[in-house]
Amino acid sequence: MAIRAPLNLTRQSFTHEAAINWFPGHMAKGLKQMRDQMRTIDLIIETRDARIPLSSINMEFERLVGSKARLVVYNKADLAPVEIQLKVQEEMAKRQQRAIFTDANKKVSHILDIAVDISRRDPVKYPQFSIMVVGMPNVGKSSLINALRRTGVNRGKAASTGAKPGVTRAVSSKIRVFDKPPVYLLDTPGVMMPHIPDTMTAIKVALTGGIKDNIADESVLADYLLFRLNRLEDVNYFQTLGIDRPTDDVNELVDMLARKIGALRHGGEVDSEKTLQFFLKAFRQGRFGRFCLDDLEGDAVEEFFKTSLLEAPMSKNQGQKAKRAAQRLRSLERAKSKGLI
């Protein structure tokens, strides 16, 4: 039976002031390697997380991809509501991005079919077809590559995978995933934006595993998750966890859950770290049901892109162009003030 949250249980908003950013040296190095390889690439597969269809967009890739053909793959679709798929695909199509949803642990043949079809249309242009797989950390790039390789050439694991972000730390050598025509993939390190201007976006990325928990602060992630669970139509999460009742206090949740799972130190002291990890893992495994953490209603998608494009850090070349444009504008204004034009 679904249990509705009482009005006094549910916070109406969630705020967190401290910035959350993670851009270690291997990410900067990885971006440079991707740029250096770009001339040899025929197709970009940008992997995103279906639970955060907007927050898992890295504006760094917009500059990286340029005019290259791109396929957006929303991975972990088994953890997100099916009903968001058409809306997301329509919104991406408005921005000339073809988007498909998949679960890399299951069927991925339709992704391989797209690459093979492009290659077969012009075998002279594509004596071998090269794909680069990019995305934020822990969106499932390596799992996708392994699934494509297993499907295309019936071979085993070629890319390292892991539940924590940062497993892949450099651009890989080419991995063959289809024989006739020859199709190759390049795995790349998960790359975060150098600066995430919106704290809530960073929290969503971290909650889905894209930023290391200790950097984002597990207690903050757990508090946000609890806030989102209490905003649902029902609050059956407490039954899933086996605790006595729903709560809007993360400390009370930790206390109840620790005693339930036996996360206690000597003397009965609660092991908060172990309990928080258990709670976050339950979400990431889909034990609370399918989730979309991003707002897709009304003009929310349009606003996201406007804000992201405005706040995205500029490349050196873009910065120089902007500086020259500002100088021209100031010159025009001075000329107008002197009555010269």
Side-chain angles (χ1 to χ4, degrees):
M1 184 181 78
I3 300 176
R4 298 185 65 85
L7 292 177
N8 63 351
L9 179 69
T10 310
R11 285 171 282 178
Q12 297 305 304
S13 63
F14 184 93
T15 57
H16 181 68
E17 299 298 329
I20 301 171
N21 289 295
W22 183 47
F23 193 72
H26 77 270
M27 292 187 185
K29 182 180 178 182
L31 265 178
K32 183 181 183 305
Q33 291 174 330
M34 291 179 215
R35 292 190 190 100
D36 293 343
Q37 293 273 9
M38 197 55 61
R39 62 183 178 80
T40 68
I41 299 302
D42 302 305
L43 174 69
I44 300 289
I45 291 182
E46 183 184 347
T47 315
R48 300 173 185 168
D49 191 316
R51 297 167 295 178
I52 46 172
L54 302 180
S55 296
S56 58
I57 296 173
N58 187 339
M59 289 300 167
E60 286 292 320
F61 296 142
E62 299 305 307
R63 289 191 288 275
L64 179 72
V65 171
S67 60
K68 286 281 183 185
R70 167 168 48 176
L71 175 65
V72 175
V73 174
Y74 279 103
N75 198 18
K76 306 186 182 182
D78 57 315
L79 299 175
V82 175
E83 56 268 23
I84 71 166
Q85 294 187 11
L86 181 59
K87 168 72 173 175
V88 172
Q89 287 171 324
E90 289 174 346
E91 291 293 343
M92 294 307 120
K94 292 177 186 177
R95 294 157 181 87
Q96 291 74 55
Q97 297 179 17
R98 180 179 180 182
I100 60 176
F101 284 75
T102 193
D103 169 13
N105 295 316
K106 297 180 181 176
K107 186 179 178 182
V108 296
S109 58
H110 55 305
I111 300 171
L112 196 55
D113 289 344
I114 292 169
V116 170
D117 182 56
I118 297 172
S119 180
R120 282 177 173 162
R121 273 186 242 154
D122 195 340
V124 175
K125 183 179 179 180
Y126 303 115
Q128 68 175 38
F129 195 80
S130 296
I131 303 168
M132 181 182 284
V133 183
V134 303
M136 284 188 177
N138 212 30
V139 292
K141 299 182 305 301
S142 297
S143 296
L144 178 62
I145 286 174
N146 290 331
L148 290 170
R149 180 175 166 86
R150 191 167 55 247
T151 300
V153 294
N154 196 29
R155 293 182 187 171
K157 192 173 182 179
S160 298
T161 60
K164 294 183 179 180
V167 173
T168 305
R169 300 179 69 86
V171 175
S172 72
S173 57
K174 287 187 176 181
I175 301 165
R176 195 179 187 106
V177 294
F178 205 80
D179 288 324
K180 296 180 180 179
V183 178
Y184 293 87
L185 292 180
L186 283 177
D187 192 10
T188 64
V191 173
M192 195 60 63
M193 288 181 285
H195 171 65
I196 305 177
D198 178 49
T199 303
M200 297 313 301
T201 296
I203 288 176
K204 292 173 191 176
V205 171
L207 180 56
T208 52
I211 298 175
K212 290 184 177 181
D213 290 343
N214 63 319
I215 292 173
D217 189 337
E218 290 164 333
S219 62
V220 172
L221 300 183
D223 194 25
Y224 177 69
L225 173 56
L226 182 61
F227 165 74
R228 293 300 299 258
L229 289 169
N230 281 326
R231 299 281 290 174
L232 294 175
E233 287 282 328
D234 62 71
V235 289
N236 290 341
Y237 69 86
F238 79 97
Q239 295 174 327
T240 300
L241 294 172
I243 58 178
D244 296 336
R245 59 189 177 278
T247 177
D248 203 24
D249 183 337
V250 71
N251 294 317
E252 183 182 25
L253 174 85
V254 168
D255 186 70
M256 288 190 290
L257 184 55
R259 299 183 191 287
K260 173 63 182 178
I261 65 174
L264 302 172
R265 298 191 178 97
H266 292 298
E269 180 187 357
V270 168
D271 187 335
S272 297
E273 182 179 356
K274 184 176 180 180
T275 307
L276 290 168
Q277 290 172 351
F278 181 93
F279 184 45
L280 296 176
K281 185 177 180 180
F283 167 76
R284 291 165 182 164
Q285 291 178 334
R287 290 183 58 194
F288 302 130
R290 293 172 176 253
F291 257 87
C292 177
L293 297 174
D294 285 331
D295 182 8
L296 303 176
E297 299 299 322
D299 297 327
V301 178
E302 193 68 34
E303 285 301 313
F304 169 84
F305 277 98
K306 282 182 182 177
T307 303
S308 298
L309 289 171
L310 283 171
E311 295 182 342
M314 292 187 289
S315 67
K316 183 177 180 181
N317 186 45
Q318 288 172 321
Q320 289 172 341
K321 286 182 179 179
K323 184 178 179 180
R324 288 195 294 270
Q327 289 171 340
R328 286 195 298 271
L329 183 59
R330 286 194 295 270
S331 297
L332 285 171
E333 288 173 346
R334 282 196 297 269
K336 285 179 182 178
S337 67
K338 294 178 181 179
L340 300 177
I341 57 174

